[in-house]
mmCIF file with all atom_site columns, all heavy atoms in Angstrom:
data_model
loop_
_atom_site.group_PDB
_atom_site.id
_atom_site.type_symbol
_atom_site.label_atom_id
_atom_site.label_alt_id
_atom_site.label_comp_id
_atom_site.label_asym_id
_atom_site.label_entity_id
_atom_site.label_seq_id
_atom_site.pdbx_PDB_ins_code
_atom_site.Cartn_x
_atom_site.Cartn_y
_atom_site.Cartn_z
_atom_site.occupancy
_atom_site.B_iso_or_equiv
_atom_site.pdbx_formal_charge
_atom_site.auth_seq_id
_atom_site.auth_comp_id
_atom_site.auth_asym_id
_atom_site.auth_atom_id
_atom_site.pdbx_PDB_model_num
ATOM 1   N N   . LEU A 1 1  ? -12.452 55.068 -81.506 1.00 0.00 ? 1  LEU A N   1
ATOM 2   C CA  . LEU A 1 1  ? -12.496 55.453 -80.101 1.00 0.00 ? 1  LEU A CA  1
ATOM 3   C C   . LEU A 1 1  ? -13.594 54.703 -79.360 1.00 0.00 ? 1  LEU A C   1
ATOM 4   O O   . LEU A 1 1  ? -13.416 54.280 -78.222 1.00 0.00 ? 1  LEU A O   1
ATOM 5   C CB  . LEU A 1 1  ? -12.707 56.957 -79.976 1.00 0.00 ? 1  LEU A CB  1
ATOM 6   C CG  . LEU A 1 1  ? -11.493 57.832 -80.310 1.00 0.00 ? 1  LEU A CG  1
ATOM 7   C CD1 . LEU A 1 1  ? -11.895 59.298 -80.341 1.00 0.00 ? 1  LEU A CD1 1
ATOM 8   C CD2 . LEU A 1 1  ? -10.375 57.612 -79.314 1.00 0.00 ? 1  LEU A CD2 1
ATOM 9   N N   . LEU A 1 2  ? -14.748 54.513 -79.995 1.00 0.00 ? 2  LEU A N   1
ATOM 10  C CA  . LEU A 1 2  ? -15.839 53.775 -79.367 1.00 0.00 ? 2  LEU A CA  1
ATOM 11  C C   . LEU A 1 2  ? -15.443 52.322 -79.130 1.00 0.00 ? 2  LEU A C   1
ATOM 12  O O   . LEU A 1 2  ? -15.747 51.735 -78.100 1.00 0.00 ? 2  LEU A O   1
ATOM 13  C CB  . LEU A 1 2  ? -17.098 53.847 -80.227 1.00 0.00 ? 2  LEU A CB  1
ATOM 14  C CG  . LEU A 1 2  ? -17.926 55.125 -80.087 1.00 0.00 ? 2  LEU A CG  1
ATOM 15  C CD1 . LEU A 1 2  ? -19.000 55.195 -81.158 1.00 0.00 ? 2  LEU A CD1 1
ATOM 16  C CD2 . LEU A 1 2  ? -18.551 55.205 -78.710 1.00 0.00 ? 2  LEU A CD2 1
ATOM 17  N N   . ARG A 1 3  ? -14.768 51.717 -80.099 1.00 0.00 ? 3  ARG A N   1
ATOM 18  C CA  . ARG A 1 3  ? -14.304 50.331 -79.913 1.00 0.00 ? 3  ARG A CA  1
ATOM 19  C C   . ARG A 1 3  ? -13.294 50.264 -78.779 1.00 0.00 ? 3  ARG A C   1
ATOM 20  O O   . ARG A 1 3  ? -13.307 49.342 -77.972 1.00 0.00 ? 3  ARG A O   1
ATOM 21  C CB  . ARG A 1 3  ? -13.698 49.796 -81.214 1.00 0.00 ? 3  ARG A CB  1
ATOM 22  C CG  . ARG A 1 3  ? -14.733 49.471 -82.279 1.00 0.00 ? 3  ARG A CG  1
ATOM 23  C CD  . ARG A 1 3  ? -14.154 48.566 -83.348 1.00 0.00 ? 3  ARG A CD  1
ATOM 24  N NE  . ARG A 1 3  ? -13.034 49.190 -84.030 1.00 0.00 ? 3  ARG A NE  1
ATOM 25  C CZ  . ARG A 1 3  ? -13.160 49.958 -85.104 1.00 0.00 ? 3  ARG A CZ  1
ATOM 26  N NH1 . ARG A 1 3  ? -14.359 50.200 -85.611 1.00 0.00 ? 3  ARG A NH1 1
ATOM 27  N NH2 . ARG A 1 3  ? -12.099 50.491 -85.688 1.00 0.00 ? 3  ARG A NH2 1
ATOM 28  N N   . TYR A 1 4  ? -12.410 51.232 -78.728 1.00 0.00 ? 4  TYR A N   1
ATOM 29  C CA  . TYR A 1 4  ? -11.437 51.277 -77.627 1.00 0.00 ? 4  TYR A CA  1
ATOM 30  C C   . TYR A 1 4  ? -12.142 51.420 -76.285 1.00 0.00 ? 4  TYR A C   1
ATOM 31  O O   . TYR A 1 4  ? -11.849 50.720 -75.321 1.00 0.00 ? 4  TYR A O   1
ATOM 32  C CB  . TYR A 1 4  ? -10.483 52.448 -77.834 1.00 0.00 ? 4  TYR A CB  1
ATOM 33  C CG  . TYR A 1 4  ? -9.769  52.876 -76.569 1.00 0.00 ? 4  TYR A CG  1
ATOM 34  C CD1 . TYR A 1 4  ? -8.747  52.097 -76.034 1.00 0.00 ? 4  TYR A CD1 1
ATOM 35  C CD2 . TYR A 1 4  ? -10.135 54.039 -75.892 1.00 0.00 ? 4  TYR A CD2 1
ATOM 36  C CE1 . TYR A 1 4  ? -8.099  52.471 -74.869 1.00 0.00 ? 4  TYR A CE1 1
ATOM 37  C CE2 . TYR A 1 4  ? -9.501  54.417 -74.728 1.00 0.00 ? 4  TYR A CE2 1
ATOM 38  C CZ  . TYR A 1 4  ? -8.479  53.634 -74.226 1.00 0.00 ? 4  TYR A CZ  1
ATOM 39  O OH  . TYR A 1 4  ? -7.856  54.004 -73.069 1.00 0.00 ? 4  TYR A OH  1
ATOM 40  N N   . ALA A 1 5  ? -13.110 52.337 -76.228 1.00 0.00 ? 5  ALA A N   1
ATOM 41  C CA  . ALA A 1 5  ? -13.790 52.616 -74.972 1.00 0.00 ? 5  ALA A CA  1
ATOM 42  C C   . ALA A 1 5  ? -14.558 51.408 -74.461 1.00 0.00 ? 5  ALA A C   1
ATOM 43  O O   . ALA A 1 5  ? -14.642 51.172 -73.261 1.00 0.00 ? 5  ALA A O   1
ATOM 44  C CB  . ALA A 1 5  ? -14.744 53.794 -75.147 1.00 0.00 ? 5  ALA A CB  1
ATOM 45  N N   . CYS A 1 6  ? -15.116 50.618 -75.384 1.00 0.00 ? 6  CYS A N   1
ATOM 46  C CA  . CYS A 1 6  ? -15.880 49.436 -74.979 1.00 0.00 ? 6  CYS A CA  1
ATOM 47  C C   . CYS A 1 6  ? -14.981 48.248 -74.711 1.00 0.00 ? 6  CYS A C   1
ATOM 48  O O   . CYS A 1 6  ? -15.449 47.185 -74.311 1.00 0.00 ? 6  CYS A O   1
ATOM 49  C CB  . CYS A 1 6  ? -16.892 49.077 -76.058 1.00 0.00 ? 6  CYS A CB  1
ATOM 50  S SG  . CYS A 1 6  ? -18.315 50.187 -76.078 1.00 0.00 ? 6  CYS A SG  1
ATOM 51  N N   . GLY A 1 7  ? -13.679 48.387 -74.987 1.00 0.00 ? 7  GLY A N   1
ATOM 52  C CA  . GLY A 1 7  ? -12.770 47.279 -74.728 1.00 0.00 ? 7  GLY A CA  1
ATOM 53  C C   . GLY A 1 7  ? -12.750 46.265 -75.846 1.00 0.00 ? 7  GLY A C   1
ATOM 54  O O   . GLY A 1 7  ? -12.300 45.144 -75.673 1.00 0.00 ? 7  GLY A O   1
ATOM 55  N N   . ALA A 1 8  ? -13.261 46.640 -77.037 1.00 0.00 ? 8  ALA A N   1
ATOM 56  C CA  . ALA A 1 8  ? -13.318 45.678 -78.131 1.00 0.00 ? 8  ALA A CA  1
ATOM 57  C C   . ALA A 1 8  ? -11.972 45.495 -78.801 1.00 0.00 ? 8  ALA A C   1
ATOM 58  O O   . ALA A 1 8  ? -11.704 44.477 -79.406 1.00 0.00 ? 8  ALA A O   1
ATOM 59  C CB  . ALA A 1 8  ? -14.344 46.130 -79.177 1.00 0.00 ? 8  ALA A CB  1
ATOM 60  N N   . THR A 1 9  ? -11.085 46.495 -78.693 1.00 0.00 ? 9  THR A N   1
ATOM 61  C CA  . THR A 1 9  ? -9.760  46.359 -79.263 1.00 0.00 ? 9  THR A CA  1
ATOM 62  C C   . THR A 1 9  ? -8.837  45.716 -78.259 1.00 0.00 ? 9  THR A C   1
ATOM 63  O O   . THR A 1 9  ? -9.185  45.504 -77.116 1.00 0.00 ? 9  THR A O   1
ATOM 64  C CB  . THR A 1 9  ? -9.212  47.741 -79.656 1.00 0.00 ? 9  THR A CB  1
ATOM 65  O OG1 . THR A 1 9  ? -9.382  48.619 -78.542 1.00 0.00 ? 9  THR A OG1 1
ATOM 66  C CG2 . THR A 1 9  ? -9.968  48.308 -80.836 1.00 0.00 ? 9  THR A CG2 1
ATOM 67  N N   . ALA A 1 10 ? -7.642  45.388 -78.685 1.00 0.00 ? 10 ALA A N   1
ATOM 68  C CA  . ALA A 1 10 ? -6.708  44.679 -77.811 1.00 0.00 ? 10 ALA A CA  1
ATOM 69  C C   . ALA A 1 10 ? -6.449  45.457 -76.545 1.00 0.00 ? 10 ALA A C   1
ATOM 70  O O   . ALA A 1 10 ? -6.003  46.587 -76.582 1.00 0.00 ? 10 ALA A O   1
ATOM 71  C CB  . ALA A 1 10 ? -5.387  44.450 -78.548 1.00 0.00 ? 10 ALA A CB  1
ATOM 72  N N   . ALA A 1 11 ? -6.734  44.839 -75.420 1.00 0.00 ? 11 ALA A N   1
ATOM 73  C CA  . ALA A 1 11 ? -6.584  45.522 -74.133 1.00 0.00 ? 11 ALA A CA  1
ATOM 74  C C   . ALA A 1 11 ? -5.503  44.879 -73.303 1.00 0.00 ? 11 ALA A C   1
ATOM 75  O O   . ALA A 1 11 ? -5.380  45.115 -72.124 1.00 0.00 ? 11 ALA A O   1
ATOM 76  C CB  . ALA A 1 11 ? -7.906  45.492 -73.367 1.00 0.00 ? 11 ALA A CB  1
ATOM 77  N N   . GLY A 1 12 ? -4.698  44.054 -73.942 1.00 0.00 ? 12 GLY A N   1
ATOM 78  C CA  . GLY A 1 12 ? -3.718  43.290 -73.192 1.00 0.00 ? 12 GLY A CA  1
ATOM 79  C C   . GLY A 1 12 ? -2.438  44.044 -72.965 1.00 0.00 ? 12 GLY A C   1
ATOM 80  O O   . GLY A 1 12 ? -2.366  45.260 -73.081 1.00 0.00 ? 12 GLY A O   1
ATOM 81  N N   . VAL A 1 13 ? -1.392  43.310 -72.694 1.00 0.00 ? 13 VAL A N   1
ATOM 82  C CA  . VAL A 1 13 ? -0.106  43.897 -72.363 1.00 0.00 ? 13 VAL A CA  1
ATOM 83  C C   . VAL A 1 13 ? 0.815   43.750 -73.561 1.00 0.00 ? 13 VAL A C   1
ATOM 84  O O   . VAL A 1 13 ? 0.877   42.697 -74.186 1.00 0.00 ? 13 VAL A O   1
ATOM 85  C CB  . VAL A 1 13 ? 0.513   43.158 -71.160 1.00 0.00 ? 13 VAL A CB  1
ATOM 86  C CG1 . VAL A 1 13 ? 1.844   43.771 -70.799 1.00 0.00 ? 13 VAL A CG1 1
ATOM 87  C CG2 . VAL A 1 13 ? -0.433  43.210 -69.981 1.00 0.00 ? 13 VAL A CG2 1
ATOM 88  N N   . VAL A 1 14 ? 1.520   44.816 -73.924 1.00 0.00 ? 14 VAL A N   1
ATOM 89  C CA  . VAL A 1 14 ? 2.454   44.727 -75.033 1.00 0.00 ? 14 VAL A CA  1
ATOM 90  C C   . VAL A 1 14 ? 3.611   43.821 -74.663 1.00 0.00 ? 14 VAL A C   1
ATOM 91  O O   . VAL A 1 14 ? 3.978   43.689 -73.505 1.00 0.00 ? 14 VAL A O   1
ATOM 92  C CB  . VAL A 1 14 ? 2.989   46.127 -75.414 1.00 0.00 ? 14 VAL A CB  1
ATOM 93  C CG1 . VAL A 1 14 ? 1.878   46.966 -75.998 1.00 0.00 ? 14 VAL A CG1 1
ATOM 94  C CG2 . VAL A 1 14 ? 3.592   46.835 -74.218 1.00 0.00 ? 14 VAL A CG2 1
ATOM 95  N N   . ALA A 1 15 ? 4.198   43.195 -75.688 1.00 0.00 ? 15 ALA A N   1
ATOM 96  C CA  . ALA A 1 15 ? 5.244   42.218 -75.422 1.00 0.00 ? 15 ALA A CA  1
ATOM 97  C C   . ALA A 1 15 ? 6.589   42.868 -75.169 1.00 0.00 ? 15 ALA A C   1
ATOM 98  O O   . ALA A 1 15 ? 7.469   42.283 -74.555 1.00 0.00 ? 15 ALA A O   1
ATOM 99  C CB  . ALA A 1 15 ? 5.361   41.258 -76.603 1.00 0.00 ? 15 ALA A CB  1
ATOM 100 N N   . GLY A 1 16 ? 6.799   44.054 -75.654 1.00 0.00 ? 16 GLY A N   1
ATOM 101 C CA  . GLY A 1 16 ? 8.087   44.693 -75.459 1.00 0.00 ? 16 GLY A CA  1
ATOM 102 C C   . GLY A 1 16 ? 8.071   46.071 -76.081 1.00 0.00 ? 16 GLY A C   1
ATOM 103 O O   . GLY A 1 16 ? 7.053   46.524 -76.608 1.00 0.00 ? 16 GLY A O   1
ATOM 104 N N   . PRO A 1 17 ? 9.184   46.785 -76.075 1.00 0.00 ? 17 PRO A N   1
ATOM 105 C CA  . PRO A 1 17 ? 9.208   48.140 -76.605 1.00 0.00 ? 17 PRO A CA  1
ATOM 106 C C   . PRO A 1 17 ? 8.739   48.230 -78.036 1.00 0.00 ? 17 PRO A C   1
ATOM 107 O O   . PRO A 1 17 ? 8.146   49.216 -78.439 1.00 0.00 ? 17 PRO A O   1
ATOM 108 C CB  . PRO A 1 17 ? 10.692  48.540 -76.457 1.00 0.00 ? 17 PRO A CB  1
ATOM 109 C CG  . PRO A 1 17 ? 11.200  47.684 -75.339 1.00 0.00 ? 17 PRO A CG  1
ATOM 110 C CD  . PRO A 1 17 ? 10.458  46.392 -75.457 1.00 0.00 ? 17 PRO A CD  1
ATOM 111 N N   . ALA A 1 18 ? 8.975   47.163 -78.846 1.00 0.00 ? 18 ALA A N   1
ATOM 112 C CA  . ALA A 1 18 ? 8.582   47.215 -80.244 1.00 0.00 ? 18 ALA A CA  1
ATOM 113 C C   . ALA A 1 18 ? 7.079   47.321 -80.406 1.00 0.00 ? 18 ALA A C   1
ATOM 114 O O   . ALA A 1 18 ? 6.578   47.790 -81.418 1.00 0.00 ? 18 ALA A O   1
ATOM 115 C CB  . ALA A 1 18 ? 9.088   45.977 -80.980 1.00 0.00 ? 18 ALA A CB  1
ATOM 116 N N   . GLY A 1 19 ? 6.341   46.868 -79.413 1.00 0.00 ? 19 GLY A N   1
ATOM 117 C CA  . GLY A 1 19 ? 4.890   46.899 -79.518 1.00 0.00 ? 19 GLY A CA  1
ATOM 118 C C   . GLY A 1 19 ? 4.281   48.219 -79.121 1.00 0.00 ? 19 GLY A C   1
ATOM 119 O O   . GLY A 1 19 ? 3.093   48.446 -79.337 1.00 0.00 ? 19 GLY A O   1
ATOM 120 N N   . ALA A 1 20 ? 5.071   49.128 -78.570 1.00 0.00 ? 20 ALA A N   1
ATOM 121 C CA  . ALA A 1 20 ? 4.507   50.349 -78.019 1.00 0.00 ? 20 ALA A CA  1
ATOM 122 C C   . ALA A 1 20 ? 3.936   51.256 -79.099 1.00 0.00 ? 20 ALA A C   1
ATOM 123 O O   . ALA A 1 20 ? 2.871   51.828 -78.952 1.00 0.00 ? 20 ALA A O   1
ATOM 124 C CB  . ALA A 1 20 ? 5.574   51.097 -77.212 1.00 0.00 ? 20 ALA A CB  1
ATOM 125 N N   . GLU A 1 21 ? 4.654   51.370 -80.231 1.00 0.00 ? 21 GLU A N   1
ATOM 126 C CA  . GLU A 1 21 ? 4.212   52.290 -81.265 1.00 0.00 ? 21 GLU A CA  1
ATOM 127 C C   . GLU A 1 21 ? 2.912   51.812 -81.898 1.00 0.00 ? 21 GLU A C   1
ATOM 128 O O   . GLU A 1 21 ? 2.005   52.593 -82.131 1.00 0.00 ? 21 GLU A O   1
ATOM 129 C CB  . GLU A 1 21 ? 5.308   52.408 -82.331 1.00 0.00 ? 21 GLU A CB  1
ATOM 130 C CG  . GLU A 1 21 ? 4.999   53.463 -83.371 1.00 0.00 ? 21 GLU A CG  1
ATOM 131 C CD  . GLU A 1 21 ? 6.162   53.657 -84.306 1.00 0.00 ? 21 GLU A CD  1
ATOM 132 O OE1 . GLU A 1 21 ? 7.301   53.382 -83.889 1.00 0.00 ? 21 GLU A OE1 1
ATOM 133 O OE2 . GLU A 1 21 ? 5.926   54.086 -85.441 1.00 0.00 ? 21 GLU A OE2 1
ATOM 134 N N   . ALA A 1 22 ? 2.805   50.506 -82.158 1.00 0.00 ? 22 ALA A N   1
ATOM 135 C CA  . ALA A 1 22 ? 1.608   49.966 -82.775 1.00 0.00 ? 22 ALA A CA  1
ATOM 136 C C   . ALA A 1 22 ? 0.430   49.953 -81.817 1.00 0.00 ? 22 ALA A C   1
ATOM 137 O O   . ALA A 1 22 ? -0.723  49.943 -82.240 1.00 0.00 ? 22 ALA A O   1
ATOM 138 C CB  . ALA A 1 22 ? 1.872   48.549 -83.275 1.00 0.00 ? 22 ALA A CB  1
ATOM 139 N N   . GLN A 1 23 ? 0.724   49.973 -80.555 1.00 0.00 ? 23 GLN A N   1
ATOM 140 C CA  . GLN A 1 23 ? -0.337  49.846 -79.570 1.00 0.00 ? 23 GLN A CA  1
ATOM 141 C C   . GLN A 1 23 ? -1.277  51.040 -79.581 1.00 0.00 ? 23 GLN A C   1
ATOM 142 O O   . GLN A 1 23 ? -2.485  50.894 -79.490 1.00 0.00 ? 23 GLN A O   1
ATOM 143 C CB  . GLN A 1 23 ? 0.281   49.700 -78.179 1.00 0.00 ? 23 GLN A CB  1
ATOM 144 C CG  . GLN A 1 23 ? -0.732  49.361 -77.103 1.00 0.00 ? 23 GLN A CG  1
ATOM 145 C CD  . GLN A 1 23 ? -0.059  49.233 -75.771 1.00 0.00 ? 23 GLN A CD  1
ATOM 146 O OE1 . GLN A 1 23 ? 1.114   49.532 -75.639 1.00 0.00 ? 23 GLN A OE1 1
ATOM 147 N NE2 . GLN A 1 23 ? -0.781  48.820 -74.775 1.00 0.00 ? 23 GLN A NE2 1
ATOM 148 N N   . GLY A 1 24 ? -0.740  52.228 -79.690 1.00 0.00 ? 24 GLY A N   1
ATOM 149 C CA  . GLY A 1 24 ? -1.544  53.426 -79.795 1.00 0.00 ? 24 GLY A CA  1
ATOM 150 C C   . GLY A 1 24 ? -2.520  53.608 -78.650 1.00 0.00 ? 24 GLY A C   1
ATOM 151 O O   . GLY A 1 24 ? -2.242  53.254 -77.519 1.00 0.00 ? 24 GLY A O   1
ATOM 152 N N   . LEU A 1 25 ? -3.697  54.128 -78.984 1.00 0.00 ? 25 LEU A N   1
ATOM 153 C CA  . LEU A 1 25 ? -4.709  54.403 -77.968 1.00 0.00 ? 25 LEU A CA  1
ATOM 154 C C   . LEU A 1 25 ? -5.350  53.145 -77.439 1.00 0.00 ? 25 LEU A C   1
ATOM 155 O O   . LEU A 1 25 ? -5.909  53.140 -76.360 1.00 0.00 ? 25 LEU A O   1
ATOM 156 C CB  . LEU A 1 25 ? -5.798  55.299 -78.567 1.00 0.00 ? 25 LEU A CB  1
ATOM 157 C CG  . LEU A 1 25 ? -5.403  56.719 -78.934 1.00 0.00 ? 25 LEU A CG  1
ATOM 158 C CD1 . LEU A 1 25 ? -6.561  57.398 -79.644 1.00 0.00 ? 25 LEU A CD1 1
ATOM 159 C CD2 . LEU A 1 25 ? -5.021  57.502 -77.686 1.00 0.00 ? 25 LEU A CD2 1
ATOM 160 N N   . ALA A 1 26 ? -5.297  52.044 -78.225 1.00 0.00 ? 26 ALA A N   1
ATOM 161 C CA  . ALA A 1 26 ? -6.103  50.875 -77.886 1.00 0.00 ? 26 ALA A CA  1
ATOM 162 C C   . ALA A 1 26 ? -5.402  49.898 -76.967 1.00 0.00 ? 26 ALA A C   1
ATOM 163 O O   . ALA A 1 26 ? -5.941  48.866 -76.650 1.00 0.00 ? 26 ALA A O   1
ATOM 164 C CB  . ALA A 1 26 ? -6.497  50.146 -79.173 1.00 0.00 ? 26 ALA A CB  1
#
């Protein structure tokens, strides 16, 4: 959660519906 909050994890745009599940909170 701290990595997510600081923007250290992937903050970009998912490529399509298949990426939604893996994207999670980050």
Side-chain angles (χ1 to χ4, degrees):
L1 286 172
L2 279 170
R3 286 198 299 271
Y4 160 73
C6 285
T9 50
V13 181
V14 292
E21 186 174 334
Q23 188 180 8
L25 293 174

